[in-house]
Amino acid sequence: MNIKINRISKNQRFFLLVFIISWLIVQSFLLWRNGVVIGLEASKYIDQAQNFIAFGKLTSNNYWLYSTQIFLIVIALKLQLGFVAVVIFQLALNILATWMFYKLAVFFLKNEILSFLATFVFIINVSYQGYNSYLFTESVFYSLSIIYSSYLLRLQVITKKNVLLLLLMLSLLSITRPTGILFFAATAVYISFRFFLQISPLKKGIIFLSAIVLFLIITNFMLDAGGSLDFMLPFKNENIICGVNTKENVNIKILKNGNSLQGLVYYIIHNTNQFLRLSKEKTILFFGFTRGYYSTLHNIYLMIFFYPLYLLSVVGIIKSLKKKDKIVIFFLIIIFLNWLTVLLTCVNWQNRFILAVTPYIFLMAFGAFSAKKSVN
């Protein structure tokens, strides 16, 4: 079924009304429950913003990888707007991301009802939406990633203009959170499959290889950005959940400078058994959502909300691959790279890493009910 996504239909106007009402209810509840959160991880971004105002610099280079959030706080402090202004900006960006998610859903699912349901689930995902009132990097990063993905995946042609815009958006993602770099690799593979099928294998190989080399160079630079980050620490102390030591100072073979791609590869080759064992436990926690320190009711909610969508997404993936829908390639690569990042580091205490990819899981889940034939 063809849908003209540039014109709002009567159904879409109704959907928009439902989206606005449900969004207001969810965000009002979360703001009432959480307030404006300036503690925990937010405190370090506030400290960096204050340091930049006072001395014109950040305390270490690794904070440039979170600089979008830091400079939002700098602006709020300089203009004496208060931290509420940052939350208002995050909420406004989330509204835009919600509409862009719906537009992507319409384009991917080719069905207004399914697109409506997918977006409604996106809005009521309180685990994801809760960060809009936190001065963490997550809210801005989540929204920017959806806006970027929606723009990229709905492109019909590649031009110099939209390539430039894609690069600018990718750069912004990469200084909002370090995992923004993952979108470079996913974008390179998606564009190769979506737009470059007709060019010669040699040119395609050059483009793909250049993108991978650039990705590896930038990744290596980020790993060695400085600061207090020690990428070997999760393996030395067997951190499955970040900051929680299963053991301490485990005798493993590592390079003197482990903060590099070479250091990570060396660790995996020389400590394979430990890496595989920890990877298994991290995978269960990453995809499982539940935690021993959550209440029973909260764990039940997480299982009821996410597990059926997991099962449906498997069906949706199979259907999309049979239809040769290129968009699902992008979704799978982003999910895979986020999972791989966790295997090479640790699982977040509140599992914020997998929350970043839940919108793509939702789209694939509702793809289980989509038409058999692709119109892309």
Side-chain angles (χ1 to χ4, degrees), residues 99-129:
W99 183 245
M100 293 293 282
F101 178 86
Y102 173 69
K103 293 177 75 173
L104 176 58
V106 172
F107 185 79
F108 176 62
L109 298 172
K110 305 296 184 296
N111 183 291
E112 287 187 336
I113 300 300
L114 292 178
S115 301
F116 164 75
L117 293 173
T119 307
F120 183 75
V121 171
F122 172 81
I123 291 172
I124 65 171
N125 181 7
V126 293
S127 300
Y128 179 98
Q129 301 290 349

Side-chain angles (χ1 to χ4, degrees), residues 151-357:
Y151 175 76
L152 168 68
L153 299 176
R154 291 184 298 115
L155 286 177
Q156 296 298 311
V157 294
I158 288 290
T159 64
K160 290 181 180 179
K161 183 179 179 180
N162 55 41
V163 166
L164 178 60
L165 183 55
L166 289 173
L167 289 174
L168 288 173
M169 294 174 72
L170 284 169
S171 299
L172 182 59
L173 276 169
S174 298
I175 60 171
T176 303
R177 282 196 62 82
T179 47
I181 186 64
L182 304 179
F183 284 85
F184 274 94
T187 299
V189 175
Y190 169 73
I191 288 178
S192 296
F193 277 92
R194 176 72 172 83
F195 298 105
F196 295 156
L197 290 178
Q198 304 304 319
I199 68 173
S200 68
L202 177 61
K203 289 182 179 179
K204 188 189 300 182
I206 292 172
I207 293 171
F208 186 76
L209 184 61
S210 299
I212 295 300
V213 170
L214 178 62
F215 171 73
L216 293 175
I217 291 173
I218 297 174
T219 302
N220 203 54
F221 170 77
M222 286 182 164
L223 289 173
D224 198 28
S228 59
L229 293 177
D230 180 357
F231 284 91
M232 289 297 106
L233 193 61
F235 302 111
K236 293 175 185 175
N237 296 334
E238 296 206 349
N239 295 153
I240 298 168
I241 294 177
C242 299
V244 180
N245 297 343
T246 304
K247 298 179 181 179
E248 292 188 7
N249 298 318
V250 177
N251 186 23
I252 56 176
K253 295 179 181 179
I254 58 174
L255 294 179
K256 186 176 181 180
N257 179 20
N259 287 358
S260 64
L261 289 174
Q262 182 184 4
L264 287 171
V265 171
Y266 182 92
Y267 160 76
I268 294 171
I269 292 174
H270 292 85
N271 306 272
T272 306
N273 289 336
Q274 186 207 42
F275 176 71
L276 292 177
R277 174 170 54 82
L278 295 178
S279 293
K280 176 184 175 182
E281 296 182 47
K282 291 174 185 177
T283 298
I284 292 171
L285 285 175
F286 179 70
F287 288 106
F289 268 102
T290 59
R291 297 287 189 272
Y293 43 81
Y294 288 167
S295 69
T296 301
L297 284 176
H298 187 55
N299 281 328
I300 291 173
Y301 154 73
L302 291 172
M303 289 187 289
I304 292 174
F305 188 86
F306 289 105
Y307 289 8
L309 292 168
Y310 277 163
L311 293 175
L312 287 172
S313 69
V314 173
V315 179
I317 290 167
I318 295 171
K319 290 187 70 171
S320 293
L321 291 176
K322 285 182 177 179
K323 293 187 294 184
K324 298 182 180 179
D325 193 329
K326 310 299 189 303
I327 292 178
V328 77
I329 295 173
F330 180 86
F331 294 159
L332 291 175
I333 292 172
I334 284 295
I335 294 169
F336 170 77
L337 290 176
N338 275 272
W339 169 64
L340 181 61
T341 300
V342 164
L343 299 189
L344 297 176
T345 53
C346 50
V347 184
N348 182 267
W349 184 266
Q350 296 170 306
N351 217 7
R352 301 199 299 266
F353 301 148
I354 194 172
L355 285 173
V357 301

Side-chain angles (χ1 to χ4, degrees), residues 23 27 68-69 72 86-104 122-123 125 127-134 136-152 154 169-170 172-174 176-177 179-180 183 330 352-360:
W23 186 90
Q27 301 302 331
T68 302
Q69 188 71 21
L72 283 174
V86 179
V87 171
I88 291 173
F89 176 83
Q90 290 177 172
L91 288 169
L93 199 61
N94 180 264
I95 291 173
L96 176 58
T98 302
W99 183 245
M100 293 293 282
F101 178 86
Y102 173 69
K103 293 177 75 173
L104 176 58
F122 172 81
I123 291 172
N125 181 7
S127 300
Y128 179 98
Q129 301 290 349
Y131 290 101
N132 291 325
S133 60
Y134 285 61
F136 291 11
T137 56
E138 271 70 22
S139 176
V140 174
F141 181 75
Y142 290 169
S143 295
L144 288 178
S145 64
I146 291 300
I147 293 167
Y148 171 79
S149 300
S150 180
Y151 175 76
L152 168 68
R154 291 184 298 115
M169 294 174 72
L170 284 169
L172 182 59
L173 276 169
S174 298
T176 303
R177 282 196 62 82
T179 47
F183 284 85
F330 180 86
R352 301 199 299 266
F353 301 148
I354 194 172
L355 285 173
V357 301
T358 52
Y360 309 120

Side-chain angles (χ1 to χ4, degrees), residues 36-87:
V36 176
V37 180
I38 59 174
L40 303 172
E41 189 173 314
S43 61
K44 66 183 180 183
Y45 304 126
I46 295 171
D47 290 343
Q48 290 302 312
Q50 292 171 334
N51 188 83
F52 187 85
I53 292 172
F55 305 106
K57 62 180 182 179
L58 304 178
T59 58
S60 65
N61 288 334
N62 66 294
Y63 282 112
W64 286 103
L65 305 178
Y66 306 90
S67 57
T68 302
Q69 188 71 21
I70 292 171
F71 284 108
L72 283 174
I73 298 172
V74 167
I75 293 170
L77 292 176
K78 289 286 285 185
L79 298 179
Q80 298 182 340
L81 299 174
F83 296 132
V84 173
V86 179
V87 171

